[in-house]
Amino acid sequence: MNFIPVNEPVLDGNEKKYLCECIDTGWISSEGPFVKQFEEKMARLVNRKYGISVSNGTAALEIAVAALDIEDGDEVIMPAFTIISCATAVVKRGGIPVLVDSDQFTWNMNIEEIEEKITEKTKAIMIVHIYGLPIDVDPVLELAKKHNLKVIEDAAEMHGQTYKGKPCGSFGDISVFSFYPNKHITTGEGGMILTNDEKLAERCQSLRNLCFLKDVRYVHEEIGYNYRFTNLQAAVGLAQLEKIETTVARKREIGRLYTELLKNEAKVQIPLENYNDEDNIYWVYGLVLGNDVNISNREMVNLLASKGIGSRTFFWAIHEQPVFRKMGLFKGEKYPVAERLARKGFYIPSGLALKDEQIKEVVKRLSDILKELN
Ligand SMILES: *Cc1c(COP(=O)(O)O)cnc(C)c1O
């Protein structure tokens, strides 16, 4: 039985050609010409003036938080159901993540619960588009304006997605992307910060590069990071960017085929196909086990592996992360939807290399498992 991996990237465009150019010219560091080109093209893709590439999406979040001067005691509102990077970026600066539960159908932060979380210490709202559907951005932007808060937009799963016709990643005062291999554009590892604000852009550039003083090298007035992005990564990214439209189209095809095959499967909840007139781009194809299914997502991942299918559990909720519990954060807090997603959600293969035949095979083996659970 051949194994079907959870994700396999496709690198069949100009990736090799541009990489060879790096090697032939000797430009492999962050000083190489592809870095600027990639930053400019990403900025154009999401209608932003400035793109600042960094070593990964987590680094992008850290720089974004630092650039907004979030520090001791500052509160940042964010979803309870997201990757830990959102919270660690804030905690590392001494800030406090303030959590909001998720909507059970879109899996995005429940925006109705944001306003009650705003206090005098709130500095920013971090919106995170989860798994392929855009969060309802407009009401959040209004809230932010009303309360004079910054918006950090985590669009790490959203390359090529739009909200009301405008690109995701174009809404935050500062927005971030990741280029990890399971994202719609990959550079192996990589990330980018985008903004329209020149001052913020300069600050991010400085923070990413150890806060070197502009004219005096090796002299620093502030602690920065070395989160630079290389010409090799940019070479791959440029080639990936050229294919973004076909990538998104194929991801949508994969999602639609899964939905077609799984929509009558009573034991799992499938992703919404559309929200706010935007079709899901299925960063991953997520499933949530129904209430009457008596196994956890971890057990499901093991069962799928025994049938030759790679899968992953959903994110573990932020307030239940042992590391934060140890720090005394989120004591007694409960976010039932996030907790349920973390225990019952899992995603099945949906990488670009996946063939329709494999999709059918995944569904067949998954259905066999679900049948046996009775
Ligand atoms: C992937 C991802 C990140 C982090 O990206 P890395 O490049 O893996 O550090 C951040 N936020 C979200 C929502 C993600 O999905």
Side-chain angles (χ1 to χ4, degrees):
M1 192 164 48
N2 43 356
F3 185 75
I4 304 176
V6 70
N7 176 65
E8 206 183 322
V10 170
L11 305 162
D12 63 352
N14 285 321
E15 287 88 348
K16 199 183 264 179
K17 180 173 164 229
Y18 298 157
L19 277 171
C20 286
E21 246 176 270
C22 297
I23 292 161
D24 291 342
T25 59
W27 279 115
I28 54 173
S29 78
S30 58
E31 300 283 322
F34 288 145
V35 175
K36 269 248 130 41
Q37 284 177 39
F38 184 53
E39 288 175 338
E40 281 167 14
K41 289 200 170 151
M42 266 307 289
R44 213 170 306 147
L45 180 76
V46 294
N47 274 342
R48 300 269 94 171
K49 278 198 198 139
Y50 307 99
I52 302 101
S53 57
V54 288
S55 46
N56 55 65
T58 302
L61 283 165
E62 289 185 15
I63 301 239
V65 166
L68 291 174
D69 288 323
I70 284 156
E71 49 192 27
D72 288 350
D74 289 341
E75 295 178 356
V76 179
I77 294 173
M78 66 177 69
F81 182 70
T82 183
I83 192 165
I84 196 165
S85 313
C86 299
T88 49
V90 172
V91 169
K92 282 185 182 180
R93 301 296 292 194
I96 301 164
V98 172
L99 306 179
V100 170
D101 206 1
S102 309
D103 177 88
Q104 61 168 323
F105 299 111
T106 65
W107 308 329
N108 278 319
M109 171 161 63
N110 189 352
I111 52 169
E112 261 119 66
E113 292 175 28
I114 295 176
E115 191 159 28
E116 66 202 52
K117 300 276 178 162
I118 297 173
T119 72
E120 271 157 33
K121 291 185 180 153
T122 309
K123 237 353 219 307
I125 304 172
M126 189 184 287
I127 54 175
V128 188
H129 309 283
I130 298 283
Y131 294 177
L133 286 174
I135 181 169
D136 196 1
V137 180
D138 281 347
V140 183
L141 294 182
E142 257 169 56
L143 264 184
K145 207 168 166 196
K146 181 171 154 199
H147 295 273
N148 197 21
L149 304 173
K150 296 289 183 202
V151 174
I152 303 168
E153 182 184 7
D154 182 345
E157 304 170 359
M158 285 286 132
H159 321 66
Q161 179 60 296
T162 51
Y163 166 78
K164 296 196 175 167
K166 289 186 226 154
C168 289
S170 70
F171 301 106
D173 292 287
I174 210 163
S175 306
V176 306
F177 282 89
S178 160
F179 307 118
Y180 190 72
N182 60 6
K183 313 286 168 155
H184 290 21
I185 292 174
T186 182
T187 61
E189 297 283 351
M192 196 169 295
I193 305 155
L194 294 125
T195 182
N196 274 344
D197 182 321
E198 190 182 356
K199 285 236 166 65
L200 267 182
E202 275 175 13
R203 190 136 160 71
C204 290
Q205 277 154 0
S206 173
L207 282 162
R208 140 186 93 173
N209 189 22
L210 298 169
C211 294
F212 275 100
L213 283 186
K214 266 222 168 101
D215 355 287
V216 213
R217 217 171 160 74
Y218 303 115
V219 180
H220 310 259
E221 283 184 345
E222 205 189 335
I223 291 177
Y225 307 82
N226 176 357
Y227 284 165
R228 297 184 299 255
F229 187 74
T230 72
N231 208 46
L232 296 163
Q233 291 167 298
V236 176
L238 276 172
Q240 289 270 301
L241 235 171
E242 291 166 0
K243 299 183 291 187
I244 183 63
E245 275 172 37
T246 49
T247 297
V248 169
R250 176 61 189 153
K251 289 292 274 196
R252 285 194 165 127
E253 247 173 44
I254 291 172
R256 279 196 280 260
L257 183 51
Y258 268 131
T259 294
E260 187 56 37
L261 297 169
L262 283 166
K263 67 180 178 213
N264 295 323
E265 179 56 74
K267 290 178 184 156
V268 289
Q269 175 194 341
I270 59 174
L272 286 188
E273 289 180 79
N274 182 285
Y275 180 70
N276 255 326
D277 288 335
E278 303 292 350
D279 287 340
N280 203 322
I281 52 165
Y282 305 100
W283 170 54
V284 291
Y285 195 87
L287 296 169
V288 183
L289 293 165
N291 287 327
D292 49 344
V293 179
N294 269 333
I295 62 164
S296 70
N297 52 0
R298 285 188 214 179
E299 288 167 294
M300 179 51 102
V301 165
N302 290 336
L303 286 170
L304 284 166
S306 74
K307 297 226 180 235
I309 294 169
S311 66
R312 296 280 185 276
T313 56
F314 275 13
F315 297 130
W316 192 242
I318 299 293
H319 64 294
E320 296 194 288
Q321 293 289 355
V323 60
F324 294 141
R325 283 278 161 100
K326 265 188 262 171
M327 296 169 75
L329 286 166
F330 316 123
K331 245 192 214 123
E333 293 182 28
K334 288 198 163 54
Y335 303 96
V337 178
E339 286 163 28
R340 203 179 113 67
L341 294 175
R343 284 166 178 76
K344 293 290 186 175
F346 63 102
Y347 58 89
I348 52 182
S350 68
L352 284 171
L354 198 66
K355 301 278 181 290
D356 286 1
E357 287 319 304
Q358 291 176 301
I359 294 174
K360 289 175 191 159
E361 192 56 36
V362 170
V363 172
K364 199 163 142 271
R365 294 182 206 172
L366 172 64
S367 300
D368 286 345
I369 294 172
L370 290 169
K371 248 179 244 137
E372 281 164 30
L373 288 176
N374 255 352

